[in-house]
Each structure stands twice: as C-alpha cells, then as structure tokens.
Amino acid sequence: MRRVLPAVLFAAALIGLWQLAAELKLINPIFFPSPGRTFGELYMQVTSGRLWQPLGATALRMLYGWLLACGLGIALGAAIGSSRTAREYLEPLLDFLRPLPASAIIPVAILFLGLSPAMSTAVIAFGSLWPVLLAAVHGLKNTEPQLVELCETLEMRRSQVLAKVALPGALPDILSGVRVSLAIALILAVVTEMQASLPGLGQNILLAQRSFRSPELYAGIVVLGIMGFLVNNGLLLAERRLLRWRSAAV
Amino acid sequence: MIAARPVGVSFGSRQVLADVSFDVPSGQFLCIIGPSGCGKTTLLRVLAGLIAPTSGEVTADGKAVRGPARSRAIVFQDYTKALLPWRTVAGNVALGLEACRVAEPQKSRRIEELLSKMGLGHCAGQYPAQLSGGMQQRVQIARALGQDPQLLLMDEPFGALDAITRQGLQDEVARIAAEQKTTVVFITHDLEEAIYLGDQVIVLAAAPGTGAGRIAERITVEIPRPRSQLETREDPRFLAYRHRLFGLLKH
C-alpha cells in the first residue's frame, strides 16, 4: 500500500492542477472541462449503464485482434526460430512488412473487408503481431545450446523439443512481447473505430469531439486509460504466476 | 565396450584431436585428464555422437556411433545451463523419462527412486535456482541415470564445486557406477580426482607444432574398490601414479 501512495498523491496533484486551470478558465471551457464535469459525466455513464456497450465493443475488438496476433506470432515465431528453411523463406518478407504503419493498411483492409468488425480485427492483428513475433523469434533463437544437445542425446522429436524445452525457455520473451502487443491492439481498436464508424469508445470520443461535448470526450479518454492500465496489470499478474520459477531464487 | 579407433577431429584447418585410440570395457571407469584446450570436451562430444570424427570412428559394442542416443547420457559441466530452470527437481528428472516414453505410474515411481538414490528426495518440488551447485549437479546425474545409459559421459562435472562437495559427489558417482555397472568416461582437469575415480586414466596433451590433442600417457589404476577419500589418497600406489602423471600436466 505504501508503495502506491506516492503515485496516487502525484495523480491527485495533477487533477488538482487541472481543476485549477479549469476554474481560472485558462483554456476555453468548451474545449477543456473541469475534472468535476468530466468525472460527473463518467459517473452518469456508469450509473445509467450507457458506458458498458461501447466499452464491451472496444474491449472485444481489442481482444479478438490481439488473440489472433498472439496465435499467429507464436506459431510463426516458432517456425522461424526453430527452422532455418522457414527463416530463409519468411524473414525477409516479414522485415519488409514490419515497418509498415498499421494505419496505412486500413484503407486496404476496408477495400477487402468493408467497414466491418472483420476489417478491424485484421488491422489490429496485423499491427500487434510484430512485438509477439519478434519476441518469439528472439526467444527461440536463444535456446540454450546445451539444452539442445541434451534433447539430441535424449532423441527427442522436434515437436517435443519445441513443447518441452524451446517454447518454455522463450516464454519470458514471449510474455513481454504479448504485453506490448496488447497496448498496440487497444490503440488500433480505437483507430479503426474512428476510421470505419464502428461502435465503441473510439467512435464515441470522435462523435463527442465533433459535437463539442467535451466532458464526454474526456470521460472517454479516462475510460481508455483505465482500461489500458487494468489489462496491462492483469497481464503482469499472469506473467508473474507463469514465471514464478524466476523469483524462486535462494 | 566403447572403442575409439584412431579418432581425429579437425575444425576447418585446425586439428583438435589426432590419433586418439582406446578401449573402455563395459563397466569400466575411464578418466581423461589434460590441460585446458587439449580437446577433452571435443573427445567427449565425439563419444556422445554430437560431433562426427574427421577420421577414424567410435564404436559402442562393436557398432559405429553415428549420432547421439539415449544409451549414452551426458552430464554437463555447467549445471546452470543444463537444467530446465522452469521445471522443479522432479520435473527435470522427468524430462529424461518423458523422452523415453515411460508412462505413469512407472514414471512417478522411477522419479522417486532416482531422487532418493541421489539424495534429492527432500527437494523434489524446488526449482534449480533454489539449490546449491552440488545439488544441481545431483539433479543432472539423476536425470542422466533416468535414461538408463550404457555409457555415462561426464564433462568436468565437479569442476565448479567446492572441495568438500566434490569429494562427496566423487564417492557417490563411484558407488553408482559400481552398482549399475555403467561404463563411465569422466573428464577432469584434477589429477587426483582422475586417479581416485578411474580404473584407467588417459592423459591428453597438445602435440608440439600442430597443437592437436593426442594421448600422452595411459595408466591402469590398480587400487582396489571401494576407495576411501582418506586412505586411498595416502596409498603409496596413489602417490606413485600422481608422481608419474604430474609432470605431463605441466607446460
């Protein structure tokens, strides 16, 4: 508890500054509502239940795209990290695709998939694929050579080596990649909603801005912040559980 | 029986081993000793089948060794890189049994047996990082024994351990090798360890000029077993062997 206290105090101080800036009307209140109005709006959305539908829509969008990215990233990473042939075929192509901004492929995705949830999932999966993929490749390439020799003397099949030695060994890398991917997935969920008018928090924020409902706009941003914070910490918690052997030192 | 019929190994133009021949009858304990960089580990890897010799061949019971096999287990020197840190002690021992497709309930029984044989029963649920170096090396040995090897290859297994732990493990390896009648090839850079453990000791040395490792001397250790850390090391024969080999290990 004592460890979170400084962070809470600092956040409270920032909100205080925000309140002060709003009171003094340093910025036009049409663009810059006070924290009171922002949190009041948020409270209203929670009590009236208006918040849950867009929140759920955005969360699911993020989740689907992210899960697809994780599955693809780990599978491709396992192939590239453990087979030279796969590496020779795939790596140059992936190095070409990787720096492409995911937002640049939104128009292509819209052409093929329309303004649909499938388009959004595809874009999110594309954008959040890279951190998992690179982490998986890196983790698998760095499999301890002595363990590889051990597997050879045990005459283990390739699939056994992957499942029992290489992937568990790469898990710390993969999990940190997975966490970065989730953050990107949230960003792209919001971006695709804004671009393609898909229902969700992103669309709500955009609509609130266009009609100058600034408390609603800020409330939306606060919700996104909380959401990102919670999923990241949820993953950190899962990571600590999965990697508890690491903290098991003497 | 394991036999090396003039084994030579070159990496590119660099010759690492030249003309190394020996026989290890079944159940015998062979120690290979030599200064760093004389090709000891390379020789062990050739015996394991991890490296193919450039010339000559290694045979196990008359059949040429063409690759690694479960019948030849390795205990690596660096235990920190030879165990799965995410598996418990029991889980690490299980790996060998899983590879050999030992099914439950035999698997659990076998794990228990191996752990108690190596004095690890009380730490079955601990992770390697929670154990001392000596205990981690015991886990490696237990895992190796789990694959029921005909040949146990040990690469300076006690090199990183303190003297007291090392002596305890020497006696245990000697006891287990005798009990299981396993053939052991044991690499070390500790002369006394080699004489204490071996039925046969081979000294490798770099040949002047090429630098390739070759056999400089071999002795048969005729000190009866079981040996004792105190008396064996004071035995005049022990001292005579030590005297004879000592000069070969100096540069």
Side-chain angles (χ1 to χ4, degrees), chain B residues 145-220:
Chain B
L145 294 177
Q147 61 191 92
D148 265 327
Q150 281 157 8
L151 174 62
L152 186 58
L153 298 161
M154 304 183 87
D155 187 5
E156 297 192 31
F158 310 144
L161 305 178
D162 65 85
I164 296 172
T165 309
R166 185 188 303 191
Q167 293 190 348
L169 278 171
Q170 284 168 355
D171 287 337
E172 265 182 80
V173 166
R175 173 179 61 84
I176 285 164
E179 268 173 27
Q180 319 241 7
K181 301 185 171 55
T182 312
T183 313
V184 182
V185 174
F186 187 105
I187 287 184
T188 176
H189 53 232
D190 177 346
L191 176 55
E192 294 183 22
E193 181 170 72
I195 300 168
Y196 183 73
L197 285 173
D199 295 308
Q200 197 187 160
V201 177
I202 287 180
V203 181
L204 282 188
T210 63
R214 59 184 173 80
I215 295 179
E217 177 71 286
R218 64 179 92 209
I219 60 167
T220 306

Side-chain angles (χ1 to χ4, degrees), chain A residues 197-215:
Chain A
S197 294
L198 294 164
L201 289 172
Q203 192 195 34
N204 282 9
I205 290 172
L206 194 68
L207 293 178
Q209 180 253 316
R210 285 187 178 154
S211 47
F212 297 100
R213 297 194 303 266
S214 60

Side-chain angles (χ1 to χ4, degrees), chain B residues 50-74:
Chain B
L50 289 167
I51 304 179
T54 317
S55 61
E57 67 172 0
V58 171
T59 59
D61 295 325
K63 281 187 289 252
V65 167
R66 301 234 180 276
R70 275 177 219 143
S71 56
R72 294 185 299 277
I74 306 185

Side-chain angles (χ1 to χ4, degrees), chain A residues 4-26:
Chain A
V4 299
L5 195 64
V8 171
L9 282 179
F10 186 64
L14 279 184
I15 293 174
L17 268 180
W18 175 7
Q19 179 74 39
L20 195 69
E23 295 275 341
L24 296 174
K25 298 212 162 61
L26 290 177

Side-chain angles (χ1 to χ4, degrees), chain A:
Chain A
M1 207 55 217
R2 203 179 303 155
R3 281 210 320 244
V4 299
L5 195 64
V8 171
L9 282 179
F10 186 64
L14 279 184
I15 293 174
L17 268 180
W18 175 7
Q19 179 74 39
L20 195 69
E23 295 275 341
L24 296 174
K25 298 212 162 61
L26 290 177
I27 305 167
N28 187 339
I30 295 182
F31 313 134
F32 193 67
S34 69
R37 284 173 66 208
T38 303
F39 288 111
E41 167 65 29
L42 189 57
Y43 179 75
M44 274 249 315
Q45 286 191 12
V46 173
T47 48
S48 69
R50 264 194 299 132
L51 176 67
W52 308 123
Q53 212 173 0
L55 178 68
T58 302
L60 273 184
R61 219 182 290 294
M62 169 185 80
L63 203 67
Y64 289 151
W66 174 70
L67 286 176
L68 196 60
C70 288
L72 266 176
I74 293 171
L76 273 175
I80 295 172
S82 63
S83 143
R84 251 190 59 197
T85 327
R87 183 146 65 231
E88 277 162 7
Y89 276 94
L90 290 173
E91 220 169 25
L93 176 67
L94 293 175
D95 281 339
F96 170 75
L97 288 174
R98 183 159 54 95
L100 281 180
S103 40
I105 69 145
I106 293 179
V108 184
I110 292 178
L111 274 184
F112 279 91
L113 299 164
L115 299 172
S116 64
M119 179 283 293
S120 164
T121 305
V123 171
I124 295 170
F126 175 83
S128 56
L129 171 69
W130 310 108
V132 193
L133 177 59
L134 293 181
V137 170
H138 179 259
L140 284 159
K141 263 189 193 165
N142 287 336
T143 303
E144 179 53 49
Q146 209 158 267
L147 290 178
V148 176
E149 289 187 343
L150 172 71
C151 294
E152 284 175 23
T153 60
L154 284 171
E155 298 179 55
M156 283 164 71
R157 276 173 301 142
R158 201 125 146 218
S159 56
Q160 277 183 312
V161 177
L162 204 60
K164 290 179 195 287
V165 177
L167 276 177
L171 194 61
D173 283 315
I174 292 175
L175 286 177
S176 53
V178 153
R179 223 151 31 78
V180 177
S181 285
L182 189 60
I184 295 176
L186 179 57
I187 295 170
L188 288 173
V190 170
V191 170
T192 52
E193 282 171 8
M194 288 179 168
Q195 283 261 325
S197 294
L198 294 164
L201 289 172
Q203 192 195 34
N204 282 9
I205 290 172
L206 194 68
L207 293 178
Q209 180 253 316
R210 285 187 178 154
S211 47
F212 297 100
R213 297 194 303 266
S214 60
E216 208 179 311
L217 165 59
Y218 280 70
I221 293 172
V222 170
V223 172
L224 281 174
I226 294 174
M227 193 169 146
F229 181 81
L230 288 180
V231 290
N232 188 52
N233 276 282
L235 275 185
L236 274 176
L237 211 70
E239 200 173 309
R240 220 165 300 149
R241 267 198 71 83
L242 281 169
L243 301 180
R244 59 181 175 275
W245 54 269
R246 278 181 140 193
S247 47
V250 200

